[in-house]
Amino acid sequence: MVRDLAGTATLVSAISDEQMCPRSTVAVLRLLTRVRTAVQAAHAEYTGTAPAQDDILDLRALGQRSRTPAGIRTPKSVDLRTIRQRWLRDLLRTWTIQQRPGADEFGRTLRGVELASRALAPRPGTDDPARLRYDDVTAVVESFRTALKLDGEPAGWNYRMSIASHFFALIDYSRRSGTTENLSAAFVRDPATHRIAQEEANEDEIGKAIPEPVIRQLDAHLETLGQGKARGQRTLAPADLQLMYRTLYILLRDTGRRPLEILSLPLDCLETRNDQISLIWNNHKTRRYRRRLPITASTADAIHTWRARRDQLQPTLPPAGTAFLFPALTHLATRPYLHTSYLGETLRHWVDSIPHLHGEGANPHGNPLPFDRALIYAYAFRHSYAQRHADAGTPLDVLRELMDHKSVSTTQRYYTVSLKRKRDAVTKLSAHVVDNHGRPSPCSESAYELRSIAVPYGGCTEPSNVKAGGSSCPIRFQCAGCGYYRPDPSYLTAIEQHINELRADRETAQAMDAAEFVTTALTAQISAFEQVTDHMRRQLDALPDAERHEIEEASAILRKARAGTHTLLPLTVITRTNPA
């Protein structure tokens, strides 16, 4: 840079960096931009025209930066003239100069000020801070309640709460510092009235889990992960980078841990007890360390493969990351293990490079719909892991332990199925209901949900049992011999598991030399349930592949809905009194 600027008279000019250093590299031009920004800010301060005195706020001159997945980004100037009230504009400018907030804090405060300015503009007297009233605060809070994101979509509750908090923190700063003269004492938030109530999650919204068919498509392209624009390519050879990122993907997919928990795994993260392999990991979010998670042998093999190669690379890696499975790749890293931005950027490049990713469903021509690639990111694999277990009927308390949740209500969310998806599943399966002999017995969607109740191995239409919510079967749940028994393909897994249990019970009864009527009854139940499953299997095999796939997906949805229904025991509270 010094060589190229030898003939330049001044750095305080309107000439672009590219014109000043036409032969320089991108790195030199980036350095020149930072040097010129510092020089121009000092020159403005020396001449009495500091950037804070104008309505165009130069954030670069204030040294503001933000960290993004692509690295450190220097923000540009901000036009404060979008804020219509002069007192509010001056307040934001003064706060920014004196407090020097980070980019995220400034961005949210600016957004809150812009919304407040827009809400106050049509109200009389709001240009004078001394004339502000309690009703003006109400109007501002209402603008936060109905705030939209920059893309026009409704903003989430956390974001709306955040911009409201940042705006009123700015007002509190004004009162403490005396920045705004004569600010009305009535312009204050009432915690009881000016609240942004937390909204219930939209049950029609599909969760953040990546569907299993999409994960299978990603697995098919796993060999290309880490090619091309993989972060860290200057430190490791291409083959080593690919092996590292493939291992990271496998761990994200198979363990459901958060990205930081994977990246910060200790070097000795595997433990074997009684032939069970466990992953040793640290829950940084709740500060619970050395947690144990059961994993499969294939997942452990992926760790062993990378560990062996990582040990060979250790002499070329920074010594700070010696204790970590995925160490930092440069000596300038701020953490001893790989940064999350490296993983996020490499995953994004890989996903975008895959030619085709199909989602669920098809268009009117029968062609599969493309999947939104923006929904594939490192944290989403945690949701997929939980949803996979919920779909498989993993008990709630077991999944809570696997996810390491403190509250069972957090785990319960994964069992909640959107109303739309459940209705679609009911529509598909209501046409495939059979009776206790396996003969087709289709019903309407309303009859499926209103005139039947889910019992362990199928639907029950016996009126008294339906009325009692499935807890009052007249023949003690002998479903296989009941004329009111109405199973469908979503119960196939449960029925087949029950058949295996009945066979085991029959073997036990025979070994105990039980009476003949016991084994005869068990054999009859097995035969009846096998008749049902055989008929359903034949019906499914006769369907076209696309329709059979839809039935299987609908079955998984309803199994998840049933697994998420947990009824509390009817306990009675007894108050004990001391004897007289």
mmCIF file of all heavy atoms in Angstrom, residues 208-242:
data_model
loop_
_atom_site.group_PDB
_atom_site.id
_atom_site.type_symbol
_atom_site.label_atom_id
_atom_site.label_comp_id
_atom_site.label_asym_id
_atom_site.label_seq_id
_atom_site.Cartn_x
_atom_site.Cartn_y
_atom_site.Cartn_z
ATOM 1 N N LYS A 208 -38.827 -26.668 12.637
ATOM 2 C CA LYS A 208 -37.539 -26.375 12.033
ATOM 3 C C LYS A 208 -36.748 -27.628 11.686
ATOM 4 O O LYS A 208 -35.627 -27.524 11.193
ATOM 5 C CB LYS A 208 -36.721 -25.503 12.989
ATOM 6 C CG LYS A 208 -37.359 -24.152 13.288
ATOM 7 C CD LYS A 208 -36.518 -23.362 14.263
ATOM 8 C CE LYS A 208 -37.160 -22.015 14.572
ATOM 9 N NZ LYS A 208 -36.359 -21.227 15.542
ATOM 10 N N ALA A 209 -37.295 -28.794 11.964
ATOM 11 C CA ALA A 209 -36.587 -30.030 11.659
ATOM 12 C C ALA A 209 -36.474 -30.228 10.154
ATOM 13 O O ALA A 209 -37.418 -29.970 9.408
ATOM 14 C CB ALA A 209 -37.307 -31.227 12.288
ATOM 15 N N ILE A 210 -35.309 -30.684 9.714
ATOM 16 C CA ILE A 210 -35.123 -31.026 8.310
ATOM 17 C C ILE A 210 -35.782 -32.380 8.074
ATOM 18 O O ILE A 210 -35.474 -33.338 8.777
ATOM 19 C CB ILE A 210 -33.628 -31.089 7.967
ATOM 20 C CG1 ILE A 210 -32.932 -29.777 8.338
ATOM 21 C CG2 ILE A 210 -33.412 -31.398 6.493
ATOM 22 C CD1 ILE A 210 -31.425 -29.825 8.232
ATOM 23 N N PRO A 211 -36.679 -32.493 7.116
ATOM 24 C CA PRO A 211 -37.354 -33.790 6.897
ATOM 25 C C PRO A 211 -36.355 -34.896 6.596
ATOM 26 O O PRO A 211 -35.319 -34.675 5.978
ATOM 27 C CB PRO A 211 -38.265 -33.503 5.695
ATOM 28 C CG PRO A 211 -38.453 -32.022 5.685
ATOM 29 C CD PRO A 211 -37.183 -31.441 6.217
ATOM 30 N N GLU A 212 -36.686 -36.099 7.029
ATOM 31 C CA GLU A 212 -35.792 -37.235 6.825
ATOM 32 C C GLU A 212 -35.498 -37.499 5.352
ATOM 33 O O GLU A 212 -34.364 -37.835 5.007
ATOM 34 C CB GLU A 212 -36.383 -38.490 7.484
ATOM 35 C CG GLU A 212 -36.374 -38.437 9.005
ATOM 36 C CD GLU A 212 -34.972 -38.268 9.573
ATOM 37 O OE1 GLU A 212 -34.050 -38.981 9.135
ATOM 38 O OE2 GLU A 212 -34.805 -37.400 10.438
ATOM 39 N N PRO A 213 -36.479 -37.377 4.420
ATOM 40 C CA PRO A 213 -36.134 -37.569 3.010
ATOM 41 C C PRO A 213 -35.075 -36.592 2.515
ATOM 42 O O PRO A 213 -34.239 -36.944 1.681
ATOM 43 C CB PRO A 213 -37.476 -37.354 2.285
ATOM 44 C CG PRO A 213 -38.515 -37.674 3.305
ATOM 45 C CD PRO A 213 -37.933 -37.211 4.612
ATOM 46 N N VAL A 214 -35.085 -35.357 3.037
ATOM 47 C CA VAL A 214 -34.075 -34.379 2.644
ATOM 48 C C VAL A 214 -32.710 -34.766 3.208
ATOM 49 O O VAL A 214 -31.674 -34.636 2.534
ATOM 50 C CB VAL A 214 -34.485 -32.967 3.112
ATOM 51 C CG1 VAL A 214 -33.395 -31.946 2.794
ATOM 52 C CG2 VAL A 214 -35.799 -32.554 2.471
ATOM 53 N N ILE A 215 -32.696 -35.258 4.440
ATOM 54 C CA ILE A 215 -31.430 -35.700 5.030
ATOM 55 C C ILE A 215 -30.849 -36.858 4.224
ATOM 56 O O ILE A 215 -29.619 -36.933 4.011
ATOM 57 C CB ILE A 215 -31.630 -36.093 6.500
ATOM 58 C CG1 ILE A 215 -31.948 -34.849 7.341
ATOM 59 C CG2 ILE A 215 -30.400 -36.803 7.060
ATOM 60 C CD1 ILE A 215 -32.134 -35.119 8.809
ATOM 61 N N ARG A 216 -31.702 -37.758 3.746
ATOM 62 C CA ARG A 216 -31.192 -38.858 2.919
ATOM 63 C C ARG A 216 -30.582 -38.340 1.621
ATOM 64 O O ARG A 216 -29.583 -38.886 1.132
ATOM 65 C CB ARG A 216 -32.331 -39.842 2.628
ATOM 66 C CG ARG A 216 -32.748 -40.672 3.841
ATOM 67 C CD ARG A 216 -33.606 -41.853 3.428
ATOM 68 N NE ARG A 216 -34.918 -41.435 2.956
ATOM 69 C CZ ARG A 216 -35.990 -41.290 3.728
ATOM 70 N NH1 ARG A 216 -35.902 -41.518 5.030
ATOM 71 N NH2 ARG A 216 -37.151 -40.920 3.211
ATOM 72 N N GLN A 217 -31.154 -37.279 1.069
ATOM 73 C CA GLN A 217 -30.569 -36.679 -0.131
ATOM 74 C C GLN A 217 -29.222 -36.029 0.178
ATOM 75 O O GLN A 217 -28.289 -36.100 -0.625
ATOM 76 C CB GLN A 217 -31.531 -35.649 -0.719
ATOM 77 C CG GLN A 217 -32.839 -36.236 -1.220
ATOM 78 C CD GLN A 217 -33.813 -35.168 -1.663
ATOM 79 O OE1 GLN A 217 -33.559 -34.426 -2.614
ATOM 80 N NE2 GLN A 217 -34.944 -35.070 -0.971
ATOM 81 N N LEU A 218 -29.115 -35.394 1.342
ATOM 82 C CA LEU A 218 -27.822 -34.824 1.744
ATOM 83 C C LEU A 218 -26.782 -35.918 1.916
ATOM 84 O O LEU A 218 -25.619 -35.760 1.506
ATOM 85 C CB LEU A 218 -27.989 -34.035 3.048
ATOM 86 C CG LEU A 218 -28.875 -32.784 3.004
ATOM 87 C CD1 LEU A 218 -29.009 -32.187 4.405
ATOM 88 C CD2 LEU A 218 -28.293 -31.746 2.051
ATOM 89 N N ASP A 219 -27.188 -37.026 2.530
ATOM 90 C CA ASP A 219 -26.254 -38.141 2.723
ATOM 91 C C ASP A 219 -25.717 -38.641 1.392
ATOM 92 O O ASP A 219 -24.555 -39.055 1.296
ATOM 93 C CB ASP A 219 -26.941 -39.285 3.466
ATOM 94 C CG ASP A 219 -27.285 -38.926 4.909
ATOM 95 O OD1 ASP A 219 -26.737 -37.926 5.411
ATOM 96 O OD2 ASP A 219 -28.101 -39.637 5.522
ATOM 97 N N ALA A 220 -26.553 -38.616 0.358
ATOM 98 C CA ALA A 220 -26.132 -39.111 -0.949
ATOM 99 C C ALA A 220 -25.063 -38.235 -1.582
ATOM 100 O O ALA A 220 -24.342 -38.684 -2.480
ATOM 101 C CB ALA A 220 -27.341 -39.218 -1.877
ATOM 102 N N HIS A 221 -24.947 -36.984 -1.133
ATOM 103 C CA HIS A 221 -23.938 -36.058 -1.675
ATOM 104 C C HIS A 221 -22.847 -35.750 -0.650
ATOM 105 O O HIS A 221 -22.141 -34.751 -0.763
ATOM 106 C CB HIS A 221 -24.602 -34.747 -2.105
ATOM 107 C CG HIS A 221 -25.536 -34.888 -3.272
ATOM 108 N ND1 HIS A 221 -26.850 -35.277 -3.114
ATOM 109 C CD2 HIS A 221 -25.348 -34.719 -4.600
ATOM 110 C CE1 HIS A 221 -27.435 -35.318 -4.309
ATOM 111 N NE2 HIS A 221 -26.548 -34.988 -5.221
ATOM 112 N N LEU A 222 -22.691 -36.616 0.337
ATOM 113 C CA LEU A 222 -21.752 -36.337 1.423
ATOM 114 C C LEU A 222 -20.311 -36.239 0.932
ATOM 115 O O LEU A 222 -19.504 -35.513 1.519
ATOM 116 C CB LEU A 222 -21.873 -37.427 2.496
ATOM 117 C CG LEU A 222 -21.142 -37.188 3.816
ATOM 118 C CD1 LEU A 222 -21.545 -35.859 4.425
ATOM 119 C CD2 LEU A 222 -21.420 -38.321 4.796
ATOM 120 N N GLU A 223 -19.976 -36.941 -0.148
ATOM 121 C CA GLU A 223 -18.599 -36.929 -0.643
ATOM 122 C C GLU A 223 -18.168 -35.550 -1.136
ATOM 123 O O GLU A 223 -16.969 -35.268 -1.219
ATOM 124 C CB GLU A 223 -18.444 -37.958 -1.768
ATOM 125 C CG GLU A 223 -18.596 -39.404 -1.310
ATOM 126 C CD GLU A 223 -17.576 -39.772 -0.247
ATOM 127 O OE1 GLU A 223 -16.418 -39.347 -0.371
ATOM 128 O OE2 GLU A 223 -17.946 -40.463 0.718
ATOM 129 N N THR A 224 -19.138 -34.687 -1.445
ATOM 130 C CA THR A 224 -18.778 -33.354 -1.953
ATOM 131 C C THR A 224 -18.686 -32.309 -0.846
ATOM 132 O O THR A 224 -18.308 -31.165 -1.127
ATOM 133 C CB THR A 224 -19.810 -32.882 -2.989
ATOM 134 O OG1 THR A 224 -21.098 -32.748 -2.365
ATOM 135 C CG2 THR A 224 -19.913 -33.870 -4.134
ATOM 136 N N LEU A 225 -19.019 -32.662 0.377
ATOM 137 C CA LEU A 225 -18.952 -31.704 1.484
ATOM 138 C C LEU A 225 -17.499 -31.335 1.760
ATOM 139 O O LEU A 225 -16.648 -32.197 1.937
ATOM 140 C CB LEU A 225 -19.584 -32.298 2.739
ATOM 141 C CG LEU A 225 -19.490 -31.458 4.020
ATOM 142 C CD1 LEU A 225 -20.128 -30.092 3.817
ATOM 143 C CD2 LEU A 225 -20.137 -32.181 5.188
ATOM 144 N N GLY A 226 -17.219 -30.046 1.813
ATOM 145 C CA GLY A 226 -15.854 -29.575 2.073
ATOM 146 C C GLY A 226 -15.067 -29.268 0.830
ATOM 147 O O GLY A 226 -13.933 -28.789 0.915
ATOM 148 N N GLN A 227 -15.644 -29.506 -0.350
ATOM 149 C CA GLN A 227 -14.955 -29.174 -1.585
ATOM 150 C C GLN A 227 -15.153 -27.705 -1.912
ATOM 151 O O GLN A 227 -16.127 -27.082 -1.516
ATOM 152 C CB GLN A 227 -15.489 -30.020 -2.746
ATOM 153 C CG GLN A 227 -15.116 -31.488 -2.665
ATOM 154 C CD GLN A 227 -15.629 -32.264 -3.859
ATOM 155 O OE1 GLN A 227 -16.334 -31.727 -4.711
ATOM 156 N NE2 GLN A 227 -15.289 -33.548 -3.917
ATOM 157 N N GLY A 228 -14.224 -27.169 -2.658
ATOM 158 C CA GLY A 228 -14.377 -25.796 -3.140
ATOM 159 C C GLY A 228 -14.138 -24.762 -2.064
ATOM 160 O O GLY A 228 -13.048 -24.621 -1.533
ATOM 161 N N LYS A 229 -15.218 -24.095 -1.655
ATOM 162 C CA LYS A 229 -15.103 -22.933 -0.771
ATOM 163 C C LYS A 229 -15.185 -23.330 0.690
ATOM 164 O O LYS A 229 -15.908 -22.742 1.485
ATOM 165 C CB LYS A 229 -16.220 -21.935 -1.114
ATOM 166 C CG LYS A 229 -16.044 -20.560 -0.502
ATOM 167 C CD LYS A 229 -17.215 -19.665 -0.866
ATOM 168 C CE LYS A 229 -17.093 -18.306 -0.208
ATOM 169 N NZ LYS A 229 -18.245 -17.429 -0.505
ATOM 170 N N ALA A 230 -14.421 -24.302 1.109
ATOM 171 C CA ALA A 230 -14.416 -24.716 2.513
ATOM 172 C C ALA A 230 -13.485 -23.814 3.301
ATOM 173 O O ALA A 230 -12.366 -23.533 2.876
ATOM 174 C CB ALA A 230 -13.972 -26.163 2.638
ATOM 175 N N ARG A 231 -13.953 -23.351 4.457
ATOM 176 C CA ARG A 231 -13.115 -22.497 5.299
ATOM 177 C C ARG A 231 -11.978 -23.304 5.895
ATOM 178 O O ARG A 231 -12.124 -24.447 6.282
ATOM 179 C CB ARG A 231 -13.949 -21.885 6.426
ATOM 180 C CG ARG A 231 -14.994 -20.913 5.961
ATOM 181 C CD ARG A 231 -14.414 -19.650 5.376
ATOM 182 N NE ARG A 231 -13.672 -18.897 6.361
ATOM 183 C CZ ARG A 231 -14.201 -17.992 7.172
ATOM 184 N NH1 ARG A 231 -15.489 -17.767 7.128
ATOM 185 N NH2 ARG A 231 -13.463 -17.330 8.031
ATOM 186 N N GLY A 232 -10.805 -22.676 5.983
ATOM 187 C CA GLY A 232 -9.640 -23.341 6.545
ATOM 188 C C GLY A 232 -8.782 -23.995 5.479
ATOM 189 O O GLY A 232 -7.849 -24.726 5.785
ATOM 190 N N GLN A 233 -9.081 -23.704 4.185
ATOM 191 C CA GLN A 233 -8.395 -24.412 3.123
ATOM 192 C C GLN A 233 -6.928 -24.047 3.031
ATOM 193 O O GLN A 233 -6.149 -24.760 2.397
ATOM 194 C CB GLN A 233 -9.090 -24.133 1.786
ATOM 195 C CG GLN A 233 -9.225 -22.654 1.460
ATOM 196 C CD GLN A 233 -10.123 -22.425 0.256
ATOM 197 O OE1 GLN A 233 -10.636 -23.365 -0.315
ATOM 198 N NE2 GLN A 233 -10.320 -21.188 -0.117
ATOM 199 N N ARG A 234 -6.508 -22.944 3.634
ATOM 200 C CA ARG A 234 -5.087 -22.586 3.585
ATOM 201 C C ARG A 234 -4.274 -23.395 4.592
ATOM 202 O O ARG A 234 -3.058 -23.450 4.497
ATOM 203 C CB ARG A 234 -4.915 -21.093 3.876
ATOM 204 C CG ARG A 234 -5.583 -20.185 2.838
ATOM 205 C CD ARG A 234 -5.335 -18.731 3.173
ATOM 206 N NE ARG A 234 -5.970 -17.839 2.205
ATOM 207 C CZ ARG A 234 -5.918 -16.512 2.275
ATOM 208 N NH1 ARG A 234 -5.252 -15.933 3.260
ATOM 209 N NH2 ARG A 234 -6.514 -15.764 1.359
ATOM 210 N N THR A 235 -4.949 -23.977 5.586
ATOM 211 C CA THR A 235 -4.243 -24.696 6.639
ATOM 212 C C THR A 235 -4.169 -26.186 6.360
ATOM 213 O O THR A 235 -3.113 -26.796 6.518
ATOM 214 C CB THR A 235 -4.931 -24.449 7.988
ATOM 215 O OG1 THR A 235 -5.035 -23.051 8.210
ATOM 216 C CG2 THR A 235 -4.137 -25.093 9.115
ATOM 217 N N LEU A 236 -5.281 -26.780 5.967
ATOM 218 C CA LEU A 236 -5.350 -28.220 5.739
ATOM 219 C C LEU A 236 -5.427 -28.533 4.254
ATOM 220 O O LEU A 236 -5.919 -27.723 3.455
ATOM 221 C CB LEU A 236 -6.570 -28.819 6.441
ATOM 222 C CG LEU A 236 -6.637 -28.692 7.967
ATOM 223 C CD1 LEU A 236 -7.886 -29.374 8.484
ATOM 224 C CD2 LEU A 236 -5.392 -29.275 8.623
ATOM 225 N N ALA A 237 -4.966 -29.711 3.908
ATOM 226 C CA ALA A 237 -5.094 -30.183 2.535
ATOM 227 C C ALA A 237 -6.568 -30.427 2.228
ATOM 228 O O ALA A 237 -7.363 -30.691 3.132
ATOM 229 C CB ALA A 237 -4.286 -31.466 2.358
ATOM 230 N N PRO A 238 -6.964 -30.352 0.941
ATOM 231 C CA PRO A 238 -8.388 -30.538 0.596
ATOM 232 C C PRO A 238 -8.978 -31.833 1.128
ATOM 233 O O PRO A 238 -10.108 -31.851 1.623
ATOM 234 C CB PRO A 238 -8.365 -30.503 -0.937
ATOM 235 C CG PRO A 238 -7.179 -29.660 -1.280
ATOM 236 C CD PRO A 238 -6.161 -29.964 -0.222
ATOM 237 N N ALA A 239 -8.229 -32.931 1.049
ATOM 238 C CA ALA A 239 -8.762 -34.212 1.530
ATOM 239 C C ALA A 239 -8.991 -34.188 3.033
ATOM 240 O O ALA A 239 -9.976 -34.744 3.540
ATOM 241 C CB ALA A 239 -7.805 -35.339 1.163
ATOM 242 N N ASP A 240 -8.100 -33.530 3.772
ATOM 243 C CA ASP A 240 -8.259 -33.441 5.225
ATOM 244 C C ASP A 240 -9.441 -32.549 5.590
ATOM 245 O O ASP A 240 -10.178 -32.835 6.551
ATOM 246 C CB ASP A 240 -6.976 -32.907 5.863
ATOM 247 C CG ASP A 240 -5.800 -33.847 5.673
ATOM 248 O OD1 ASP A 240 -6.040 -35.067 5.620
ATOM 249 O OD2 ASP A 240 -4.661 -33.364 5.560
ATOM 250 N N LEU A 241 -9.629 -31.468 4.845
ATOM 251 C CA LEU A 241 -10.783 -30.601 5.091
ATOM 252 C C LEU A 241 -12.090 -31.368 4.877
ATOM 253 O O LEU A 241 -13.023 -31.259 5.666
ATOM 254 C CB LEU A 241 -10.739 -29.391 4.164
ATOM 255 C CG LEU A 241 -9.951 -28.170 4.633
ATOM 256 C CD1 LEU A 241 -9.940 -27.108 3.546
ATOM 257 C CD2 LEU A 241 -10.552 -27.609 5.903
ATOM 258 N N GLN A 242 -12.157 -32.126 3.802
ATOM 259 C CA GLN A 242 -13.369 -32.892 3.524
ATOM 260 C C GLN A 242 -13.647 -33.904 4.626
ATOM 261 O O GLN A 242 -14.787 -34.066 5.057
ATOM 262 C CB GLN A 242 -13.228 -33.597 2.179
ATOM 263 C CG GLN A 242 -13.333 -32.654 0.981
ATOM 264 C CD GLN A 242 -13.279 -33.418 -0.326
ATOM 265 O OE1 GLN A 242 -12.277 -33.422 -1.015
ATOM 266 N NE2 GLN A 242 -14.371 -34.066 -0.659
#
